[in-house]
Amino acid sequence: MTCQTINEISLIAYFPFQLECWHARFSRVSSNPQFVHVTQTLNSTVKALIQSSMTSPVTMGKMMLHTVTFFINTSEWDFLLRSFVKLKSPFLDAAKMIAAYMTSNDPTVARQIVEGPCKRRNDGSLVREQTKQLLTRVQFLDMLRLIKEYRTISFLISFLGKMFGAAKNVVKMRKECDGQEMNKDIFIEHPDYWQSNFEKKGTDDEFCFNLPFLTECLDTVFKNALIVNPINAFWLRSYADFCYACDKFADALVLYMEACVACSDSLMRPLPDNVVDDTAS
């Protein structure tokens, strides 16, 4: 065994640890000059490993979660779409979908990417033709916990928030049938990219969304969002609506106030209509 081979094996063995450390520090010190240098060096190393023959699909598969989320967090969209030729992973498939969305300048195309292959029913709703699951629930949550890229967080809040609202509407209709009026929709920043009518599964009042799982996903994304930018008024408003929908009224009140402060220069300017509306007030 040559010295070069030993060095390559050592690099591969140490590589997952490097990525884990990078993810742990990313949201806290991402603008630090030393960390920027570390990121650039790691970026080159990761790309070299992926493009070299020494990285087998089996070896790479064990660290694919940290690898693809590294490229998401560094906005390496083109590399995600074009450079993983030999490797297959559900994490990579999900990352490529996000990358395709991020690189699309056409809202119609972006919406088609997210919706996937669909056919339209007589009532106007869309039904997915492809039902294969990309990620398991555990895998998806693991991926969400590591994503801290700004545009991806906005994408996830809008995407998951739309589904959460659709699932909540079923509960809302049931409550109204019992004589209880509810209005717990979530404000989302990009509503136009998502279909209005989602596919239903089984009976007419059963959506194919798991509400507890969506709640856990959104909670994870919102926590990362406030780490990345704690004064983003859109995110604060969405998070407030989410807490209100989950009956966390004290948390919702705090977040509504923070959203108002964030979008009005500490209440020195009028509250903008695109953040604060009748449902928030």
Side-chain angles (χ1 to χ4, degrees), residues 22-58:
W22 184 89
H23 280 291
R25 299 179 61 206
F26 172 66
S27 58
R28 293 182 286 111
V29 295
S30 56
S31 60
N32 179 282
Q34 183 178 359
F35 186 77
V36 171
H37 175 71
V38 170
T39 300
Q40 292 170 345
T41 303
L42 188 57
N43 189 301
S44 300
T45 303
V46 176
K47 289 180 178 179
L49 280 173
I50 291 171
Q51 294 172 334
S52 69
S53 58
M54 69 180 185
T55 307
S56 69
V58 175

Side-chain angles (χ1 to χ4, degrees), residues 25-277:
R25 299 179 61 206
F26 172 66
S27 58
R28 293 182 286 111
V29 295
S30 56
S31 60
N32 179 282
Q34 183 178 359
F35 186 77
V36 171
H37 175 71
V38 170
T39 300
Q40 292 170 345
T41 303
L42 188 57
N43 189 301
S44 300
T45 303
V46 176
K47 289 180 178 179
L49 280 173
I50 291 171
Q51 294 172 334
S52 69
S53 58
M54 69 180 185
T55 307
S56 69
V58 175
T59 302
M60 197 65 199
K62 295 178 181 179
M63 51 191 179
M64 187 61 78
L65 168 62
H66 288 85
T67 302
V68 299
T69 49
F70 172 81
F71 286 124
I72 288 174
N73 286 336
T74 53
S75 304
E76 288 280 359
W77 310 124
D78 288 340
F79 190 83
L80 278 169
L81 290 171
R82 300 174 185 175
S83 301
F84 289 80
V85 179
K86 299 184 297 180
L87 303 172
K88 295 185 181 299
S89 164
F91 294 116
L92 178 59
D93 292 339
K96 284 186 174 183
M97 186 272 288
I98 293 173
Y101 174 87
M102 293 301 171
T103 54
S104 174
N105 295 320
D106 185 342
T108 302
V109 174
R111 176 172 168 170
Q112 290 173 348
I113 291 169
V114 175
E115 291 178 353
C118 296
K119 60 181 179 181
R120 189 170 293 278
R121 299 192 300 193
N122 292 333
D123 61 1
S125 62
L126 292 171
V127 181
R128 292 184 185 275
E129 294 179 339
Q130 181 180 355
T131 58
K132 183 180 179 181
Q133 186 179 35
L134 280 179
L135 297 168
T136 66
R137 293 176 185 175
V138 172
Q139 288 174 329
F140 189 55
L141 278 170
D142 286 342
M143 192 171 185
L144 291 181
R145 291 187 185 102
L146 294 179
I147 292 177
K148 299 182 179 73
E149 196 274 331
Y150 201 97
R151 291 179 60 209
T152 307
I153 286 177
S154 288
F155 161 82
L156 289 169
I157 290 174
S158 294
F159 183 49
L160 295 171
K162 186 73 172 183
M163 289 190 288
F164 180 85
K168 268 289 184 180
N169 279 336
V170 176
V171 179
K172 175 182 175 181
M173 287 186 289
R174 289 171 178 165
K175 292 287 186 180
E176 288 176 345
C177 289
D178 294 335
Q180 302 178 39
E181 185 176 353
M182 296 178 63
N183 184 11
K184 295 186 176 181
D185 290 333
I186 291 183
F187 168 86
I188 57 176
E189 187 177 356
H190 305 292
D192 296 337
Y193 282 10
W194 321 112
Q195 61 197 62
S196 299
N197 299 315
F198 286 95
E199 173 190 358
K200 295 180 181 179
K201 182 179 181 181
T203 60
D204 288 340
D205 63 348
E206 289 184 359
F207 277 88
C208 55
F209 300 132
N210 184 312
L211 186 55
F213 178 61
L214 280 173
T215 301
E216 188 174 4
C217 289
L218 270 171
D219 188 58
T220 300
V221 174
F222 279 127
K223 286 177 179 177
N224 280 347
L226 295 195
I227 291 173
V228 172
N229 185 357
I231 59 172
N232 183 306
F234 291 113
W235 296 353
L236 288 166
R237 165 66 197 278
S238 297
Y239 198 4
D241 285 349
F242 171 71
C243 288
Y244 182 75
C246 295
D247 295 334
K248 297 179 180 179
F249 302 120
D251 292 339
L253 178 60
V254 172
L255 289 163
Y256 281 130
M257 292 301 299
E258 289 181 352
C260 291
V261 170
C263 68
S264 64
D265 287 341
S266 299
L267 304 180
M268 297 298 291
R269 294 187 294 108
L271 300 175
D273 293 338
N274 63 341
V275 176
V276 180
D277 53 24

